[in-house]
Amino acid sequence: GRSAKPTAQDNTGESLFVQLLREAGVSLRYSNTPNEIAVDQIVFQKRLQRSLRKHPRYPNVIQEFIAGLESHIEDQEKFRNCLLPCAPRSSDGDASTSYQESLVKLLLGIEMLQPAIINTLFEKLPEFMFDGIGEDGLNIPHIIINQFKWLDRVIDSKDLASKLMQLVAVAPGEIQRDIITSLPEILDDTQHNDIAKELNTLLQQNTQLSVPILDALSSLNLSPTLLSEVRRAVMATLSAVELEDLPVVVKFILHAISGPEAIEVVGDLRKKLELESCVLPPALQASQNRLKNKAVAGSSLSKADISSQNCVSLVLDVIKSAVRFQKTISEAWLKAIENVEAVEDHKVIDLLVLFILHSTNANHSRRGAERVLRMKVRGGQIRETLLQTAFRGHSLVMRSYFSAILALAQILLRSPDPSVVTFGSHMYKQAFTAFDSYCQQEVVGSLVTHVCSGYAHEVDVSLELMCELVTQRPSDMAPYAVFVKGILDYMESLTPQQIRKLFFILSSLAFGRDPQGNHIQDDMHIVIRKQLSSTVAKYKRIGIIGAVMVVGSMGSSRNNSESTSSQVPSLSKETYRQVTALLELVRSCSEGSPEAAALYYDELANLVQTGHLDPLVQEWIGKSVLEDFQEDFVVDLGPEMKGTYPLPAKIMYNLDEEESQGGIAVNLLPLLSEDFNHKGGQWSQTGEESKRRVSPLCLAAFFRLLRLCEEEQHQGDLEEIDALLGCPLILTDLDVVEKMDSLSKPEKEFVCSLLFHTINWFREVVNGFCQQTDPEMKVKVMTRLQNITYLQSILEKCLAATPAYLPPPANFDCEIAEVGPPASTTIPAKKGKKERPGKKRKIPASKNSSGDSSQLEEGAEAEESQHEKDNPEKEKEKEKEEGKAGVSLASYRPYFRELDVEVLGVLQCGLLSRSLLDSELHTKVTEEVQLGPSELVFLLEDLARKLDFSLASSAVKRIPFLKGKADKSVGFSHLQQKSPSDITSCCVRLLPALCTHLENSHNYFQGLLSENHGVVDAPGVDVKEHQLMSSCYQLLLQVLHTTFNWNGFTQQENRKLLKMALGVLAGRLKEKEVELGLEELVRHTFEYLLNFRSTMPNCSTALSLNQLLMVVAERAGPSVSAYREQIGSLSRQFLCQEWVLPSGERERGNKYNETLQTFLSIYLEHTDDVLKAVEEIAGEGVPELINTTKDGCSKTFPTLSRQTFLVFYRGLMAVLEKAVRRIPPGKQTDSGEIQGEKLLTWNLAVRDFHILVNLVKVFDSRTVLGVCLKYGRLFVEAFLKLGMPLLDFSFKKHKEDVQNLLKTFQLSTRQLHHMCGHSKIRQDTGLTNHVPGLKKSLEQFVYRVKAMLILNNCKEAFWLGNLKNRDLQGEEILSQRAQDSEEEDEEEASQLPQEQSEEEVPAEKCRYVVGSILSEGEEKPSEDLVRLYEKYGFKIFPFPEVTHVVTTTFPHRTFLSIFLSVHRVYPQLGSYIK
């Protein structure tokens, strides 16, 4: 039998160990042959276990077996075989699996052998500890440790853990890492906490093991407390972690975060995660930017750089998996990014995490990422520089989030906020630049979709971006020309400016150097010819613009290209023929319409101005322009003028009278007269005569083309045409303006048109000659500016006398060109409606126009009270005066020619002598000319408009939801062709002149103050001059503000320009001896501007100065806080100043109120202690106001009057609510000192709130009540959320303080309750809308206080009663029953019959209760249940036993049964009970 067999084999010398193994199914082999197993692993283990148990020498046989094992593995080859997997015996076909465990692992699975084998292995392991990897490629220590993994059961887990940790203490680094990372797979859950404590200790001792330790810890099942402790320790060392270890560290930190601590942990992680340090060296950045999806990727970067990018990618993958599977972590990341306020505190990781969140499938993450990014960009906290840094340093990483980047860019580009739109366009640009061709194709496709969307701001930004890409990266854009060509089908909805950009893009791609885009040339020719041949003005305009842009690309000069300069010196004959043929075609197609001809001249002038045309094309354009202009518009001065005109002709505005012999004049009046005569018919027929007719509409446009051609041909010298600067015009005597009322309507319109054409001629002449250096020409330019300002004042009077007049168009590349001279009846009517009220209002309203959009309610009230004071006679006189003065030209700006940016160089001119010219002007003889206040205001207004259009801050230029009919870009077409940086550079060049004018304005008002001993409204002050100088002063400050507020200054490439601009202002204060740093320049500039504070003529100018100082301070970067106190004190100074007009009246009105509101918010934002400042105004300023007369004001704050009280009240309430939300919430872990400080802050806040709420008793207007109800609710909510947790924890230590705080707050809440009652009585929906939310908050406050007392075991201190309804003065509001009884007699007829109304229960006696029934009858309720209900604030009381009840039933057949029962049952019940 079986028992005899081992004995027989024992005798042959085979050991018990080998014998038992063979019986169980394992045959030992030697050398390189693996041990063989003949049976299934489980069968082997069971057989061996049974053999051992049934062995006669059991349990001693186990020792013998282990001894046999130990002697067997003495031989290293045999030991290695035992550690390696067994091989299934091939002769047995029943081997179930190809992989078998090692012999040692199989023996470890037998419980009776496990402890002894573990000891054997641990004893054996040190022998191989320092051997490393052997010749056969095996690491024996590693294989030994692997034997312990995934055992079905560990007999003594604690002992095994102890042995492993002892081994870690002595083993070399590689084995230490092996053991530590294997711990989660070796130990069972009971040992996890103990081993984690030991690992935590080891982590602090040996940082080199941090990665394996963290890897192990993240796989262990730990208690939350221990996990938090380890996480804090790891977080402390995060900044010192090596880059390749970072993914593991981040994974551990984000591992198993619970909800409450997620925000704190993620916030700390975000602060310490510095991905900027992983950026490539600058030398390799350029090569990385060129990376595409080619083999270059591998060769351009070194292994180290790719590994750094891989590490960043792994970190992001860790974050991605964390936010994908744990909603709390995604919310925590959003909150952490949202909580960052300073621009410099934002990092690349913020953008990357937002991209990750957007790329996850969860809707909440995607929406959250969109919301946070939009909010941060709008607030200016995440800027383009950060985006640029992210793409430069991490483009390989960001490539994997391309879909999220594209989706976010699409969303941002559709935003109504321009700053957000700009950021979206930067995302597109960076993605196109940094990524491969697939991504570029997607970007172009997305931009084309935006252009075809039909939304103006999307179209503008997308086209602008494509223009930029075509200019900077033509070869990259060329393959996608066919995509862009698709936009031609959607031109219907594009504006002329957009069409110009579109054709620039298409023509650059089609006729550019890169042949990939040439295939769209034929399509473009077809489209242009089709549009040019159209009789519809809109389509013809598209054709003209498109054709000229194509000419620009086809006829561009090739000489400036290095590659072709030697081979292609000029255009080929064929190209030259095509260009000239296209120009001839456009010219012939536009001859039939003056608007089309003028547009052609303007477009061609723009093309010539670029200076990129080939000389041959330039010569062709220029050769006929001079002759045509002389023939069409210039006549010789003769002794008399023949012809009959609507008004007598007169030669005027001649600056060259000494050369009157053989002089020339511009033939304006005759041309306009002829134009008016043919107004009824078609402008051009097919006949010969009509083709020669010339329209004055083309005068300015044709001159512009002529001037630019001359400039190009003579390198800026205009000597050939300088006679046009001083030559007179054939006009009519302007005395006719005084007799406007006696003229007929056509004559009035003729005079207005004549003035418009004259002003536009002068504007274009000034454009042409403003850059000439000859002193005589400079004087003439200055004189022409004076002519313009004088003629504009006359035009205002004429327009006032000519309602419903539509001026001739002056800008032909916009929609307004469609409303030309043959105007339909509808458009003038519309225009008339707009302009007619202007006769009475425009002059006073022109300064207030910016405030019209957001009028304050109190302003309206103040105006009403003012109108009540003024008697009607005064009103009539005012209307007459204003009617005489005329209308504002602000709404007529689209009908004036655009002034070029170069004209603003006139601001640099000082005093100009004109001794060379002894000419008599129409006003007076002068020998010297300088910029007067009127001309200065004219130029500064134009400069301010230009800067607002090009550089204005995004928050100001918000795009309206519904686009108005008026196009805001009309009159800025030349400006749009310059980049914001060009315009800023131009402004910086003007800064010395602007500073001189600023100092002159300061000196003027300084002189006034010193002459009049500080009295602004002294009797001798010239009001008109004062107004002009005030406007100059304010415009200068606004221009400086817009310039320094340009967001381009935040970009590194514009840093030099910023330093130059600051250097100009700083140099006015102190001559710069050495090159100053940015912070020093900002400091000197700030000091220079601060000197102007003493001469502010009005409140709005003071605000401009304050805002300018704030913008300058922002340019200091991190040290902006150094200027905080000065800005705050200056705002306070202006609030404490009495603003009086030259007429002696105090400033008032909506604009003034808005200005004060801004001042107040600036002061409270920049003061160190907001709560103290609020208390000062509410506790000192307002009581002073209450004690003054009706028209009085506060002594401390003279700007605080009864008219401006609402402004102050709203501002104080809003700031107070914001301030309390910034108070950090109380924590149980806070020390007593910190709790005391927070309590003190809340005490101050509650006291301020109490003061403000009680002011409603004195100032009880509807608007004040509305503000109090709105912000009262918000304050109570903030107190419940942030203040009450603090009271919970600090009640025991600071009992008196908490009680006092609650008593003060209770007084405020009671007053709020009275206001709710008052609102209901007034039945004002504007007020009652606030009541439900406020009442809910007040009720929550009551129960929250009760909960706090219960928490602190002071339940008996709480008492609850019913508040009576009272009005604002504390008088009890009569109940509804009392009111009903007083009004009963009046209401009886209209209400129910008398007997029925008596049965009604009064409203205040109707009651209901909602609750739970705890017990019925004799049964007593459960005490635990009662305690539970009481804990949550329920009242417990018994109901009396029911003795008499009347019940009835009514059948329910259909849903109508309910209505029938109401009408039938209740009357029956009532009569029965009665």
Side-chain angles (χ1 to χ4, degrees), residues 81 103 147 207 357 664 826 932 1001:
N81 270 3
L103 176 61
Q147 307 305 308
T207 52
L357 288 168
I664 57 169
T826 54
S1001 303

Side-chain angles (χ1 to χ4, degrees), residues 1236-1274:
E1237 284 175 13
K1238 288 179 182 175
L1239 262 181
L1240 183 62
T1241 310
W1242 271 110
N1243 261 311
L1244 287 170
V1246 167
R1247 191 168 68 201
D1248 290 350
F1249 184 64
H1250 178 59
I1251 294 168
L1252 288 168
V1253 168
N1254 276 326
L1255 288 176
V1256 176
K1257 292 179 179 177
V1258 182
F1259 301 93
D1260 56 355
S1261 70
R1262 174 183 176 274
T1263 44
V1264 173
L1265 269 170
V1267 169
C1268 191
L1269 288 168
K1270 176 187 173 183
Y1271 288 103
R1273 178 179 63 81
L1274 295 172

Side-chain angles (χ1 to χ4, degrees), residues 599-616:
L599 174 64
Y600 169 57
Y601 296 143
D602 268 342
E603 290 299 309
L604 210 50
N606 290 340
L607 188 59
V608 170
Q609 192 176 20
T610 60
H612 297 152
L613 278 179
D614 188 272
L616 285 173

Side-chain angles (χ1 to χ4, degrees), residues 164-285:
L164 287 167
M165 291 313 292
Q166 286 169 18
L167 191 60
V168 166
V170 296
E174 194 60 42
I175 296 173
Q176 284 179 323
R177 290 188 183 87
D178 233 341
I179 295 170
I180 291 167
T181 49
S182 303
L183 285 173
E185 296 153 13
I186 295 172
L187 302 176
D188 60 17
D189 287 4
T190 55
Q191 292 303 307
H192 282 194
N193 274 332
D194 294 337
I195 205 77
K197 286 174 187 171
E198 291 189 46
L199 287 174
N200 190 20
T201 311
L202 184 62
L203 177 68
Q204 290 162 22
Q205 293 168 355
N206 189 350
T207 52
Q208 291 179 347
L209 294 174
S210 55
V211 172
I213 290 173
L214 294 178
D215 211 1
L217 285 171
S218 59
S219 302
L220 295 176
N221 187 13
L222 307 182
S223 67
T225 316
L226 182 60
L227 192 61
S228 299
E229 187 186 328
V230 178
R231 193 183 286 120
R232 277 195 296 273
V234 173
M235 194 75 83
T237 60
L238 184 66
S239 50
V241 171
E242 291 185 16
L243 187 58
E244 57 267 21
D245 299 343
L246 200 56
V248 178
V249 177
V250 173
K251 182 183 177 183
F252 174 74
I253 289 171
L254 294 176
H255 168 67
I257 305 178
S258 61
E261 62 182 352
I263 294 172
E264 189 180 346
V265 171
V266 169
D268 286 348
L269 175 63
R270 189 205 145 274
K271 281 178 191 169
K272 293 183 178 177
L273 208 54
E274 295 288 348
L275 291 190
E276 283 81 351
S277 60
C278 313
V279 178
L280 298 178
L284 292 169
Q285 283 182 1

Side-chain angles (χ1 to χ4, degrees), residues 34-53:
N35 298 327
E36 290 182 355
I37 183 166
V39 293
D40 191 77
Q41 295 176 144
I42 301 296
V43 174
F44 163 74
Q45 287 174 334
K46 284 184 177 177
R47 278 186 187 176
L48 183 58
Q49 194 168 357
R50 192 167 61 245
S51 298
L52 287 169
R53 281 188 189 280

